Structures are given as C-alpha cells and as structure tokens.
C-alpha cells in the first residue's frame, strides 16, 4: 500500500495546478492518470499555442446552474496570478484579441512549466494508472489500480469532462461523484460547431466551406456574441458559433447578423440611390467574398440592378442579412467540443475549497464540475483557479 497525503486523479490543467500548489505547502502529493501522457488537452489547446488565460476574466464569462459558485476561486487565483507564473518561467506570450493570451511558441511551454513546478515541489505523477475502485476508509480513502493500492487523506477528482474521448476524456469523475451521493446535472457538448441537415442550407454551407465572415453577431436565448463565423461542409463553425453553441438547446433557432456594422436595409436604399444600375450581387461582393455574394443571390434573392427593387424588397433583403434565422440540426458533439456543459452539481461542493459537502476529504476541480467558460482562455482559468483553491487546503 502506497501512502500519501493527497491523491489527485487526472494530470490535466486543474490536477497539475492543484498538485503543485499542495506540494508547495509540503503535502505529499501523487497524481494518477490513466493516459500515457500528462496534459494532453493543454498540448492540443489554442491550435497548439494554448490560450492559457484571458485578461478580462469575470464570473459572467462562465455558465453554471449556480452562477455564484465560480466567484470565490476566480477572485483568489486570478488571471494575473497565472500570468505571473508564465512570466517567471520566461514563456513568451501575446494577446491575440479580446484579452486572449496565447504562447508565442508552443502549448508545450505551459505544460513544461506546470510539470517543472510539480517536480520542484516534489509532487509525483504516475501515468497509465486507471483506478478500479475507491473506498472511504477511516479519515481517508483507499484506491485500487491493477497493480497497486494507495491510501490518501485527501482525494481530488480532476478527471475533466467528456469532450474529445481520443484525448483521454472519460465520465469517470461523474461516476466517483455518484458513488459518494452527488447529483450530476445533465451534460452536453459546448463550444462546438453546428451541423445542418436541411438539404438546401447544407448545400449552401458546403459550397462556402472554408469561407469566413468577420464580426457576425449571433444570438440565441437572450445571449449574443460578436466574432467570426466559418462555413463548413457540415454546417457552421468559427468562434461566434462555438460561443453561442453553449447557450443553444436542440430545436432552438439562432439569429445571425452577417453585416453587423450597419442597418442593411438603410444601406441598400442608400446604395440604390447612388448606384441604380449596379447589380445586387456586385454590391454584396463589396462586403462578402464574390462567391458568397453569388451564392446569397442564388439562394435568397434574385440579383438584378438595384433600381428594379422596390423599398419593401430592399427592406426584406436587409432583414435577411441582419437577421438570418435558422435552426441547426445539432452539434458535432463531444468528438470536437472544447468543453462539457453541466456536470457535478456545485450546490453540493464548497465554493471556497472545492470540498464535497457529502464526503469529507473528497474534492472536485476543473471541468468535471458544472462550470464552463466562454471561448477565449476562460476554461483554463477555471482549471487554474479551482485547482489552486483545492491545492491550498488538501
Ligand atoms: P483535462 O481534460 O485537462 O484533464 C483531465 C485529465 O484526467 C486528463 O489527463 C485525463 O487523461 C484524465 N482522466 C480522465 N479520465 C480518467 C480516469 N478514468 N482515470 C484517470 N485519469 C483520467 N480552454 C482554454 O481555456 N483555452 C484553450 O485554448 C482551449 N483549447 C482547447 C482545445 C481543445 C481541442 C479542447 C478539447 C479543449 C480546449 N480548451 C481550452 C478547454 C480546456 O482544455 C479544458 O477546459 C481544460 O483542459 C479542463 O481541465 P481539467 O483539468 O478539468 O480536465
């Protein structure tokens, strides 16, 4: 039996932050992971450059059934605290946009930093170790794997959500939570592209696959985002779609403003007065790519010289450009989702320490909890903050 103070299940973002924080306090820490490598999602993140935090992190950037839960941890370990560690390790970084901080070089800079901090503090990491059973025993826990048994006083579940199973994601954390009497709120894929099945619409998206439209405003369920939209062979993607997907439920309609910097109807009337002989398609290709202008005219409007439209027709075209309503068929699911929405009900977890209110010594951190961030570095900031909160007390 191997005896340590703290066992953390999951060597991802939250688990490594918790490990280094607890080990720096002198706790004997062991991190167990079933995967053959620590931090696989960190390595894949941000297109290989890891969007490791966001300068404008606020509780409003997170979705949770219990929106107050994230506040305490986020306030006690902020984006600036993580940035200070990045700077201490002399990792070059830059702001891409909207406060999103990325590595200049590789995402592995962040993983190397975390592993180095763990090693210096004495936290051990054991990979290829799936846990077969957990029992509460006395004032701690006994864990069994195929090869060993372990005893710890504090047990931290940092096994993440369900997104991208090929990167090692499992529902194990939910299983452990249920074993100790916790409720799991329904889970679904978040920050994920939409699929379209309507044949005409799908053909439209597919023909434009790879085309992006800058600064679209997409709205659903009283939430809206302004970012770039990308057409794909199967539907719609791009940052603005990923953001709104977290607020979308099957059957909901979304509204897309393709030309959000102007009132399209008023602009068309103005252009009609100035260029009466210009074809609509030519005018639209000043705003969209030529191919997109062409396809918009084929699918939605007839392209004729502007003088041939009456005011109502121009207003209708404008409305369609400013408020394209569509119902996505679904999402690409956990295969490509960046996060899992829902998870362990935070009403049953302390927001200060991340300790279970049902089982003393048991902690939950990171994505396994019902806290999910917007796109832009917020999910890592939640992993760092919740990992740090638990690491200070385990
Ligand atoms: P995480 O998933 O990081 O770690 C969980 C660990 O638990 C893994 O190592 C896994 O192997 C292990 N595990 C799972 N089941 C287990 C079991 N049964 N036994 C033992 N171990 C087990 N966020 C962001 O802020 N900026 C970004 O740039 C990106 N980019 C990005 C790209 C892609 C492709 C994805 C999929 C996700 C992102 N994210 C992101 C989201 C971010 O990666 C995510 O929110 C955090 O990694 C969550 O951290 P956790 O530590 O909670 O889980």
């Amino acid at each position: 039996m191997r005896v340590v103070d703290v066992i953390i299940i999951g060597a991802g973002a939250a688990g490594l932050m918790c490990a280094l924080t607890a080990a720096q306090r002198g706790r004997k820490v062991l991190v167990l992971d079933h995967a053959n490598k620590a931090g696989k999602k960190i390595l894949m993140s941000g297109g290989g450059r890891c969007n490791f935090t966001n300068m404008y992190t606020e509780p409003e950037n997170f979705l949770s059934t219990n929106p107050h839960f994230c506040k305490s941890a986020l306030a006690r370990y902020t984006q600036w605290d993580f940035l200070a560690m990045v700077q201490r390790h002399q990792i070059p970084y830059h702001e891409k946009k909207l406060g999103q901080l990325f590595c200049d070089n590789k995402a592995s800079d962040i993983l190397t930093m975390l592993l180095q901090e763990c090693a210096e503090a004495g936290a051990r990491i054991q990979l290829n170790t799936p846990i077969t059973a957990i029992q509460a025993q006395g004032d701690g826990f006994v864990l069994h794997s195929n090869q060993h048994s372990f005893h710890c006083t504090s047990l931290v579940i940092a096994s993440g959500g369900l997104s991208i199973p090929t990167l090692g994601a499992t529902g194990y954390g939910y299983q452990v939570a249920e074993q100790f009497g916790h409720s799991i709120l329904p889970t679904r894929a978040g920050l994920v592209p939409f699929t379209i099945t309507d044949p005409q619409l799908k053909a439209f998206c597919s023909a434009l696959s790879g085309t992006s439209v800058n600064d679209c405003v997409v709205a659903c369920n009283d939430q809206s985002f302004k970012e770039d939209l990308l057409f794909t062979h199967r539907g719609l993607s791009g940052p603005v779609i990923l953001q709104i997907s977290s607020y979308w439920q099957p059957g909901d309609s979304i509204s897309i403003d393709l030309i959000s910097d102007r009132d399209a109807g008023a602009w068309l009337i103005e252009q009609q007065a100035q260029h009466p002989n210009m074809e609509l398609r030519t005018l639209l290709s000043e705003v969209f790519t030529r191919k997109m202008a062409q396809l918009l005219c084929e699918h939605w409007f007839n392209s004729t010289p502007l003088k041939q439209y009456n005011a109502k027709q121009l207003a209708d075209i404008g409305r369609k450009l400013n408020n394209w309503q569509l119902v996505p068929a679904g999402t690409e699911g956990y295969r490509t989702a960046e996060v899992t929405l829902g998870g362990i009900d935070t009403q049953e977890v302390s927001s200060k320490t991340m300790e279970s209110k049902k089982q003393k010594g048991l902690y939950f951190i990171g994505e396994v909890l019902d806290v999910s961030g917007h796109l832009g570095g917020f999910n890592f900031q939640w992993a760092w903050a919740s990992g740090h909160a638990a690491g200070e007390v385990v």
Side-chain angles (χ1 to χ4, degrees), residues 10 12-14 33-34 45-46 51 158-160 168 170 172 338 366-367 377 379-380:
D33 202 298
H34 71 150
S45 66
N51 178 193
S159 54
T170 68
Y172 186 66
E338 276 201 18
E367 198 180 318
N379 283 297
F380 278 138

Side-chain angles (χ1 to χ4, degrees), residues 274-318:
Q274 286 173 23
H275 315 284
N277 294 315
M278 186 188 272
E279 277 223 18
L280 178 63
R281 184 179 47 219
T282 314
L283 178 64
L284 291 183
S285 65
E286 288 178 9
V287 184
F288 305 111
T289 63
R290 272 180 54 183
K291 186 171 181 187
M292 182 159 168
Q294 166 85 29
L295 283 167
L296 283 173
C297 289
E298 281 172 20
H299 281 261
W300 288 351
F301 339 109
N302 287 326
S303 181
T304 63
L306 294 175
K307 64 184 176 196
Q308 292 183 15
Y309 297 99
N310 63 34
K312 182 181 174 304
Q313 285 168 325
L314 288 183
D316 286 347
I317 295 170

Side-chain angles (χ1 to χ4, degrees), residues 9-15 32-35 37-42 44-46 50-52 102 129-131 158-161 163-164 167-170 172 337-339 365-368 376-381 383:
I9 300 183
L32 301 175
D33 202 298
H34 71 150
K37 203 170 170 49
K40 284 189 182 184
K41 274 194 192 163
I42 298 174
M44 289 292 290
S45 66
C50 187
N51 178 193
F52 55 80
F102 283 75
T129 308
I131 301 301
S159 54
S163 45
I164 319 223
L167 290 180
T170 68
Y172 186 66
E338 276 201 18
V339 285
I365 57 175
E367 198 180 318
V368 76
F378 302 105
N379 283 297
F380 278 138
Q381 188 55 39

Side-chain angles (χ1 to χ4, degrees), residues 235-255:
L236 297 171
S237 187
V240 77
I241 293 295
L242 302 191
Q243 295 282 34
I244 208 69
S245 71
S246 296
Y247 291 86
W248 180 84
Q249 296 280 357
D252 286 345
S253 156
I254 61 169
S255 142

Side-chain angles (χ1 to χ4, degrees), residues 137-158:
Q137 204 176 80
D139 62 349
F141 300 87
V142 173
L143 283 73
H144 301 282
S145 77
N146 290 340
Q147 297 145 12
H148 303 287
S149 295
F150 308 90
H151 183 276
C152 60
T153 319
S154 299
L155 175 61
V156 184
I157 306 301

